[in-house]
Amino acid sequence: MTGSATGRVLRDGTAALFLAAIVVSGFGSTAMSLAAGVWVKSLTGSDSLAALALSAVWLPVLFGPVIGTVADRLPRKPLLVGSNLVMALLLTTLTAVDSAGRIWLLFAVLVVYGTSYVLNDAAESAVVAQAVDTRLLGDFNGLRMMANEGMKLVAPLTGAALYARFGGGAVALLDAASFALAAGLYALPRVRTPAPATDRGGGRRSGLRQLRDSPVLGPLVLAGSVTMLCAGLNGAALYAVVDKTLGHSPAYAGVLSAVQGAGSVTIGLLAGPLLRRLPERVFTAAGITAFAVGVGLRALPYDAVALLACGLIGAGLPCVLIAAMTAVQRETPDAVLGRTAATAGTLMMAPNAVALALGAGLVSLVDVTVLLPLVGAAALLTAAWLVTGRRGSVPAGPRVSA
């Protein structure tokens, strides 16, 4: 079942090229995300500025509805190629960052970096919806998630080793090369490009309104928002769990993260077939339930349970994102697909960033053995609401044999 669906996606030349571009750019971006904070810390000695480096990348996510509109106003394939080439050129300027006095250049590029990520994600979602068979969108998005999570298992180590040996400029050049290669891959497929949104009906409709008015998309994105809020609180508790609950050194967090990544890779491979056989709400609720159980189990002081919990979290959390974005691609008119995808991304990812900051404070006030079961309970309530609320208004996704 899985092999057949995966094979059909990979045999589709356009889908395979887009997946290759995602893998290439994702490798460079993941390596750079680690190096940026270390780079800032080494030049300034400031922990707060190092944390701000990651915030600079996340900041443009808050403006996703506006940025996504650009993807609806311009030809999307040239936009993908051009934005990747611009980022490749900008990243080469970071070789000049060799002192605290030039750290502003790194922050400026990181903000553009985050903007490019939101723009590319919106344009790519729209192009993929045009180019890939609707019945295979779940498989494509699952493989995309698998590729992204797989990069998180290897790219940070590569970035750290490269930084330690040659410095931040070398990591920036690696990322620049990945953007340039991704631009070449995006340029290869022959994709039909509809007229800009201003020439088509519905071009003025906002992404938020599209989500709000859809009985399919609204509940999925809302559940995703709440779940990602819980995920942020869970993520903020990581080092407290490692230290106070399990009694290990901070380095043990790498083991737990690797297990979580393995869970995400696994569900990425299975998501497409499961989405063809389950209603989207059921698939999403099952994922949220696995995530909730995993979060609750992290409160227990046993290594084996902690590893199981991380596997459940890694397998459950991507279900929310895969189902929501697949539904957005399938249910949204092309004229507003870019802004709708970007708006959905903002509504689901912004709570995660906010909760990470909020959780950092909560962990110092509330014991994780209390906090994590409460977070897990909130996620379970979200899953229950998703499968019981207005059930009749949400049809199951298309079901075909794999």
Side-chain angles (χ1 to χ4, degrees):
M1 178 179 69
T2 301
S4 174
T6 301
R8 276 188 283 166
V9 173
L10 296 179
R11 285 193 297 270
D12 183 309
T14 298
L17 285 169
F18 273 102
L19 281 173
I22 290 166
V23 170
V24 168
S25 62
F27 182 86
S29 297
T30 305
M32 186 64 191
S33 66
L34 171 67
V38 178
W39 200 351
V40 172
K41 170 68 174 177
S42 65
L43 290 177
T44 67
S46 171
D47 291 328
S48 59
L49 284 177
L52 191 60
L54 183 58
S55 299
V57 178
W58 276 94
L59 180 63
V61 174
L62 300 176
F63 303 94
V66 177
I67 298 172
T69 301
V70 177
D72 291 329
R73 300 296 185 186
L74 298 176
R76 288 158 180 160
K77 180 182 170 182
L79 181 62
L80 280 171
V81 175
S83 63
N84 277 271
L85 288 176
V86 167
M87 281 310 308
L89 292 172
L90 281 178
L91 282 163
T92 62
T93 67
L94 294 184
T95 55
V97 180
D98 55 4
S99 66
R102 293 183 175 178
I103 206 70
W104 65 268
L105 178 59
L106 176 58
F107 279 101
V109 171
L110 289 176
V111 172
V112 180
Y113 199 110
T115 304
S116 173
Y117 173 81
V118 176
L119 184 61
N120 283 351
D121 195 56
E124 181 190 283
S125 294
V127 173
V128 167
Q130 298 166 10
V132 177
D133 188 330
T134 302
R135 295 168 297 179
L136 296 178
L137 283 175
D139 296 279
F140 180 91
N141 289 323
L143 290 173
R144 179 185 180 186
M145 180 68 69
M146 183 180 70
N148 285 333
E149 294 300 321
M151 287 304 98
K152 292 177 183 178
L153 298 178
V154 295
L157 295 177
T158 303
L162 197 60
Y163 181 88
R165 181 67 178 85
F166 300 106
V171 185
L173 290 177
L174 170 67
D175 201 9
S178 75
F179 271 105
L181 182 55
L185 291 169
Y186 281 129
L188 290 176
R190 294 183 178 180
V191 180
R192 178 182 61 86
T193 55
T198 50
D199 296 331
R200 289 173 278 146
R204 295 184 180 275
R205 186 180 179 89
S206 72
L208 184 60
R209 183 179 175 188
Q210 182 69 30
L211 294 173
R212 183 195 65 194
D213 292 349
S214 170
V216 177
L217 303 181
L220 288 174
V221 172
L222 179 57
S225 298
V226 177
T227 303
M228 294 306 293
L229 181 73
C230 293
L233 295 173
N234 171 67
L238 172 62
Y239 289 101
V241 168
V242 170
D243 178 20
K244 298 177 181 177
T245 304
L246 300 177
H248 290 292
S249 70
Y252 192 71
V255 176
L256 299 182
S257 296
V259 173
Q260 183 170 326
S264 297
V265 168
T266 302
I267 199 62
L269 192 63
L270 298 174
L274 289 174
L275 273 171
R276 284 193 296 277
R277 284 159 174 76
L278 295 173
E280 283 161 343
R281 282 197 182 189
V282 173
F283 173 79
T284 304
I288 297 173
T289 300
F291 164 77
V293 172
V295 171
L297 287 176
R298 292 182 76 191
L300 300 177
Y302 307 107
D303 283 0
V305 174
L307 293 172
L308 173 63
C310 287
L312 288 172
I313 292 169
L317 194 56
C319 296
V320 183
L321 303 176
I322 293 171
M325 296 314 294
T326 300
V328 166
Q329 289 173 314
R330 192 188 68 242
E331 300 287 334
T332 308
D334 180 76
V336 293
L337 182 48
R339 73 195 69 175
T340 304
T343 300
T346 294
L347 291 176
M348 289 190 290
M349 300 312 297
N352 182 263
V354 172
L356 280 169
L358 178 63
L362 282 176
V363 166
S364 64
L365 299 174
V366 182
D367 192 285
V368 291
T369 59
V370 177
L371 177 63
L372 290 175
L374 290 176
V375 173
L380 277 177
L381 287 175
T382 303
W385 167 80
L386 192 60
V387 293
T388 58
R390 297 175 60 193
R391 185 183 308 172
S393 64
V394 181
R399 303 185 187 187
V400 296
S401 62

